[in-house]
Amino acid sequence: MDKPAGMFDRDYEWSALRRFITDPQPGATLGVVSGRRRQGKTFLLDAACRAAEGFYFGATEATDAESLRRISTALTDHVRPASPFHFANWSEVVDALLALGSERPVPVVIDEFPYLAKANPELPSIIQEALRPLRDQRTRSRTRLLLCGSALSLMGRLLSGNAPLRGRAGLELVVRPLDHRLAADFWDITDPHLAMKVNAIVGGTPAYRREFARGDTPHGPDDFDDWVVRTVLNPETPLFREARYLLAEEPDLRDTALYLSVLAAVADGNATRGGMAGYLERKATDIAHPINVLEDAGLLHRDADAFRDNRPTYRIAEPLIGFYHAIMRPVWDQLERPGSATRVWQASRRRFVSNVLGPHFEQVCRDWALHHVDPDLLGGLPARVGHGVVHDSKARIGHEVDVAVIGIADAGKPPLLAIGEAKWNDTMGMAHIDHLRHIRGLVGQAGRYDTTDTRLICFSGAGFDDKAHAAAEADTDVRLIDLAALYSQE
């Protein structure tokens, strides 16, 4: 199975699919592929089916009877039997799919599986029974059945707890957005400052460049504002309404207005449950359910405070949704009128920096520390990277730590490998380094972490002054990370 030449990256995902599909062992096997919408799951699985001469079926939102007719027709076209298939139920369908692998390993993809399960909730149990370990139809088959879907709440439940398919899958693959480095390559942007600003709006979703923006990328830093106006804020482009559609496409989100308000609260800087409740003028218990549903749907992410127990904060997981709520939703009526985008964007750029770009930059710094940094720079391999608030009892204030890198606890207290401060628009100097030194002392006094070798990291999108560079040269515990370092592949 050779990866198609037109497929960008996805080397890991393709290798996982190739190993699963070409596994020669006897017996049909099940795989589950999930991920947020627009990440290229369909393109990936369709390409795998073409490369291995398998069968691909894309479900639609339809009644159970209509879906049976559609898959009967699709399988008839694929197999070309003496007489057309007319399946009466899904048990017959699954056995016919297992029969495809009677001679060799064959991939069989059912895309948008949540549509089928919604119309027929018994379908996972039917597949469970069909894949019973000693059942002849399974043991004689080498079908590699792949169930795919974008409804993360449903897909996440397929293999969890007491779900019928728990323990049946040999592959569980999540197709994630491209990280900030790959996204810059995909958008063909070499300037890291421009790449970060674009990433703060569209994230790492491949479809937003190829299909939604029709390949339109900023020509350079000076073109960024015009690019925002002609793409994301342009009512003629699919990107304009995409954030609203992402919410509407989630089957578990019934009271859309409430979920929109919860996301708006987070986009406005209310990252705690109490903050969201105050923004919505409701009790915290009243919004517990919508928060959990948004988490399950992959639209809201819960971050534990690295320094205080039971003080989680929340952030919007999809950048485009965060941009929509911070910039577009408050002035939606104006944006819908053609020709208003330039005026709206000029008035919104400051809010974009404070509510969208700044928080996104902080999250990229945390991702970099967890996934990209050389462990030698931190003095160890990170176990987790988060953020939080360190309490200063003498000053009676809390100090926010943008990046907290916790190492592996071999014995005793876990080591705090590094703490960092991230500033998008500020040139950082000695005041920032001294602030981090003070925080390191407070954390050491609290006794939760071992701060013996804690490094101090300053992340800046605007650079560092001479005193900061001198401090970094004189003290091996101080590290200065600019945009070039965040995007460096070395």
Side-chain angles (χ1 to χ4, degrees):
M1 281 179 57
D2 294 328
K3 193 181 83 168
M7 183 179 293
F8 178 83
D9 192 60
R10 299 305 187 198
D11 295 334
Y12 170 80
E13 292 85 351
W14 186 262
S15 296
L17 284 173
R18 182 177 63 242
R19 289 192 298 271
F20 177 76
I21 291 171
T22 60
D23 185 351
Q25 69 174 331
T29 51
L30 173 69
V32 174
V33 180
S34 62
R36 297 211 305 266
R37 295 187 184 278
R38 328 296 191 230
Q39 303 309 319
K41 300 185 299 299
T42 295
F43 179 66
L44 182 71
L45 292 171
D46 189 28
C49 279
R50 293 174 186 272
E53 298 181 352
F55 173 70
Y56 173 90
F57 176 73
T60 59
E61 197 166 8
T63 65
D64 194 48
E66 183 182 354
S67 296
L68 283 170
R69 286 196 298 270
R70 288 191 64 245
I71 199 168
S72 297
T73 301
L75 199 55
T76 297
D77 292 341
H78 179 76
V79 177
R80 299 191 180 279
S83 58
F85 292 116
H86 295 288
F87 299 120
N89 53 60
W90 285 102
S91 295
E92 294 181 2
V93 173
V94 176
D95 281 346
L97 297 178
L98 295 181
L100 296 178
S102 59
E103 297 180 358
R104 62 180 179 87
V106 173
V108 172
V109 172
I110 299 181
D111 202 358
E112 296 299 350
F113 180 75
Y115 287 142
L116 302 181
K118 181 180 178 181
N120 188 339
E122 296 178 359
L123 187 52
S125 296
I126 293 172
I127 296 174
Q128 175 200 31
E129 170 59 23
L131 295 178
R132 189 162 30 88
L134 298 180
R135 189 169 180 262
D136 288 345
Q137 289 87 338
R138 178 188 182 177
T139 57
R140 294 198 302 262
S141 171
R142 282 183 288 174
T143 289
R144 308 306 180 216
L145 180 61
L146 290 154
L147 308 179
C148 178
S150 303
L152 296 187
S153 54
L154 189 149
M155 296 302 294
R157 292 194 297 266
L158 278 182
L159 304 177
S160 64
N162 296 320
L165 294 177
R166 178 172 172 78
R168 290 286 193 266
L171 173 72
E172 187 173 3
L173 179 64
V174 179
V175 181
R176 304 181 188 278
L178 303 173
D179 65 32
H180 68 283
R181 292 178 172 181
L182 288 172
D185 292 341
F186 183 74
W187 281 81
D188 198 23
I189 300 174
T190 56
D191 180 275
H193 195 271
L194 176 61
M196 185 67 71
K197 292 198 292 185
V198 171
N199 192 249
I201 298 177
V202 293
T205 298
Y208 291 161
R209 181 193 177 186
R210 287 179 171 168
E211 287 85 11
F212 286 60
R214 300 190 298 276
D216 185 354
T217 64
H219 306 311
D222 294 338
D223 187 44
F224 175 73
D225 291 334
D226 290 340
W227 175 81
V228 173
V229 169
R230 69 177 181 259
T231 55
V232 191
L233 300 184
N234 183 357
E236 299 174 7
T237 69
L239 272 175
F240 182 74
R241 292 180 175 81
E242 170 67 2
R244 297 164 72 98
Y245 292 156
L246 282 174
L247 200 66
E249 288 171 345
E250 287 295 331
D252 288 346
L253 307 188
R254 295 181 178 86
D255 186 358
T256 306
L258 176 58
Y259 295 106
L260 283 169
S261 295
V262 170
L263 291 171
V266 178
D268 203 43
N270 302 283
T272 64
R273 286 199 179 203
M276 285 183 264
Y279 181 92
L280 298 174
E281 298 183 357
R282 296 194 179 198
K283 296 179 180 179
T285 53
D286 294 341
I287 62 171
H289 178 68
I291 288 175
N292 291 336
V293 172
L294 287 168
E295 279 190 84
D296 291 342
L299 301 178
L300 204 60
H301 192 278
R302 180 181 185 271
D303 292 325
D305 191 307
F307 305 100
R308 302 179 300 174
D309 294 325
N310 302 319
R311 297 288 183 90
T313 57
Y314 295 85
R315 57 183 170 85
I316 297 174
E318 170 54 56
L320 188 63
I321 291 180
F323 180 83
Y324 164 77
H325 282 281
I327 305 300
M328 300 175 69
R329 188 168 180 249
V331 290
W332 185 256
D333 290 344
Q334 294 187 52
L335 285 173
E336 283 195 306
R337 181 177 180 179
S340 299
T342 299
R343 173 172 169 267
V344 168
W345 178 241
Q346 288 176 348
S348 303
R349 282 183 292 187
R350 182 175 298 178
R351 183 174 175 83
F352 168 68
V353 172
S354 61
N355 287 43
V356 178
L357 186 52
H360 183 77
F361 176 62
E362 293 175 10
Q363 184 57 42
V364 168
C365 292
R366 289 189 283 270
D367 292 340
W368 175 85
L370 182 61
H371 299 296
H372 299 289
V373 68
D374 185 340
D376 290 340
L377 186 146
L378 298 174
L381 182 69
R384 59 189 177 94
V385 175
H387 59 100
V389 176
V390 176
H391 182 62
D392 188 336
S393 57
K394 289 185 179 180
R396 296 183 179 180
I397 59 174
H399 299 282
E400 292 190 12
V401 177
D402 299 325
V403 181
V405 186
I406 294 96
I408 301 170
D410 293 326
K413 294 182 292 187
L416 183 64
L417 298 179
I419 54 173
E421 189 167 355
K423 298 294 183 185
W424 170 255
N425 251 356
D426 295 350
T427 300
M428 303 182 77
M430 279 304 302
H432 299 92
I433 296 173
D434 290 340
H435 184 229
L436 287 173
R437 285 197 177 108
H438 178 62
I439 294 174
R440 179 173 61 184
L442 293 174
V443 176
Q445 293 171 17
R448 179 168 185 166
Y449 297 112
D450 179 0
T451 60
T452 305
D453 299 310
T454 300
R455 310 286 171 87
L456 310 177
I457 306 180
C458 292
F459 299 89
S460 177
F464 310 92
D465 65 18
D466 292 340
K467 291 183 178 179
H469 282 293
E473 291 179 4
D475 188 345
T476 56
D477 284 347
V478 177
R479 297 287 188 272
L480 307 180
I481 304 299
D482 59 11
L483 285 171
L486 289 176
Y487 278 93
S488 174
Q489 301 289 347
E490 298 179 0

